[in-house]
């Protein structure tokens, strides 16, 4: 298996909401390739966070890949707004999409990379039918809604299944993981086949600071 290189995607959910610009700059300076935006609507998940305005206001301060994770119902209604705000990639939750293929095609037609996220209890069965429309599969390693939750080990099996599917297809699709990603869980998810690591708490609350937290994740990747 050719192991793709590791990409780190700090989640602004764990940053100080009054200092997003400083956090975005710090992430880029520390070498983060992606900046992850956890968008929540209070319906698909209990929590409410940020919308396209947050991306738009940070676009001038960061050249990182803006990775928008939409934990919202009817995400197709907001894709144009996230594209206009400067999202480089948009990931929708499979459970929130009645017409998943159409929604993924809408993202790509707008010039962004298209991703699908699967909750911990969602099987990956639909993936073979949308593989050609995908740039990224996000295997949720917690139930979405809040930062700081414990990693669910049962998701490792799904990461392995998705890695096999992607390898067999030969398509250049990333596997992202999100939730409870730390220096302890990074070896597990990377060994299973994940290559994009979303992390909030383990980076922003790292005792040595964000840059040290990122180094710890890179060192723990296998
Ligand atoms: C869940 C979010 C989180 C978050 C990661 O809805 O998507 O998974 O950004 O937070 P940590 O790294 O704190 O688990
Ligand atoms: Zn996320």
């Amino acid at each position: 298996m050719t192991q793709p290189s590791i990409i780190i995607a700090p989640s602004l959910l764990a940053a100080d909401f009054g200092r997003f610009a400083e956090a975005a700059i710090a992430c880029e300076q520390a070498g983060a390739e992606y900046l992850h935006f956890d968008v929540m609507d209070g319906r698909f998940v209990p929590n409410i966070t940020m919308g396209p305005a947050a991306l738009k206001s940070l676009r001038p301060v960061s050249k990182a890949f803006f990775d928008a994770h939409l934990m919202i119902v009817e995400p197709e209604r907001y894709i144009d707004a996230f594209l206009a705000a400067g999202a480089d990639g948009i990931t929708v939750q499979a459970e929130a999409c009645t017409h998943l293929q159409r929604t993924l095609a809408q993202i790509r037609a707008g010039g962004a990379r298209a991703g699908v996220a699967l909750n911990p209890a969602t099987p990956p069965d639909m993936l073979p039918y949308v593989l050609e429309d995908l740039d990224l599969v996000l295997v949720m390693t917690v139930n979405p809604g809040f930062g700081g939750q414990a990693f669910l080990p049962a998701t490792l099996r799904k990461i392995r299944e998705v890695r096999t599917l992607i390898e067999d297809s030969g398509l250049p699709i990333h596997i992202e993981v999100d939730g409870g990603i730390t220096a302890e869980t990074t070896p597990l998810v990377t060994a299973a086949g994940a290559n994009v690591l979303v992390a909030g708490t383990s980076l922003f609350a790292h005792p040595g600071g964000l840059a040290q937290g990122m180094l710890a994740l890179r060192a723990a990747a296998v």
Side-chain angles (χ1 to χ4, degrees):
M1 184 171 90
T2 47
Q3 193 63 48
S5 57
I6 297 295
I7 292 169
I8 298 194
S11 168
L12 284 177
L13 189 62
D16 179 339
F17 270 46
R19 295 172 175 235
F20 273 166
E22 286 166 51
I25 291 164
C27 289
E28 201 175 351
Q29 283 176 349
E33 294 90 348
Y34 282 22
L35 192 61
H36 188 80
F37 292 79
D38 280 311
V39 178
M40 306 187 189
D41 66 352
R43 291 191 61 209
F44 182 75
V45 289
N47 201 2
I48 300 177
T49 55
M50 61 190 87
L55 273 85
K56 190 177 178 193
S57 62
L58 294 177
R59 200 60 284 188
V61 307
S62 174
K63 291 188 172 57
F65 182 97
F66 276 16
D67 181 33
H69 175 197
L70 307 191
M71 289 162 274
I72 64 175
V73 299
E74 299 176 358
E76 64 279 359
R77 295 174 57 210
Y78 294 95
I79 285 165
D80 288 347
F82 280 96
L83 291 167
D88 297 298
I90 300 177
T91 297
V92 292
Q93 290 279 157
E95 306 84 2
C97 294
T98 308
H99 306 289
L100 178 60
Q101 192 280 332
R102 176 184 288 158
T103 303
L104 296 172
Q106 184 187 351
I107 295 168
R108 274 196 176 166
R113 308 262 182 95
V116 66
L118 308 177
N119 279 343
T122 301
D125 300 17
M126 87 291 284
L127 292 180
Y129 308 101
V130 290
L131 223 44
E132 299 280 345
D133 304 290
L134 281 174
D135 299 292
L136 179 145
V137 176
L138 169 50
V139 178
M140 289 305 299
T141 43
V142 298
N143 289 292
F146 303 96
Q149 302 182 80
F151 175 82
L152 296 171
T155 58
L156 289 168
R157 172 181 163 185
K158 184 160 44 180
I159 298 168
R160 285 192 289 269
E161 288 174 10
V162 175
R163 173 52 63 197
T164 301
L165 186 71
I166 291 171
E167 294 289 322
D168 290 350
S169 76
L171 292 166
I173 300 172
H174 289 305
I175 301 181
E176 185 173 60
V177 283
D178 185 358
I181 301 303
T182 65
E184 288 69 44
T185 56
T186 288
L188 307 176
V189 295
T190 52
N195 72 300
V196 184
L197 308 178
V198 177
T201 308
S202 73
L203 297 183
F204 285 98
H206 193 279
L210 181 77
Q212 286 296 319
M214 287 191 34
L215 285 174
L217 292 193
R218 287 199 203 281
V222 298

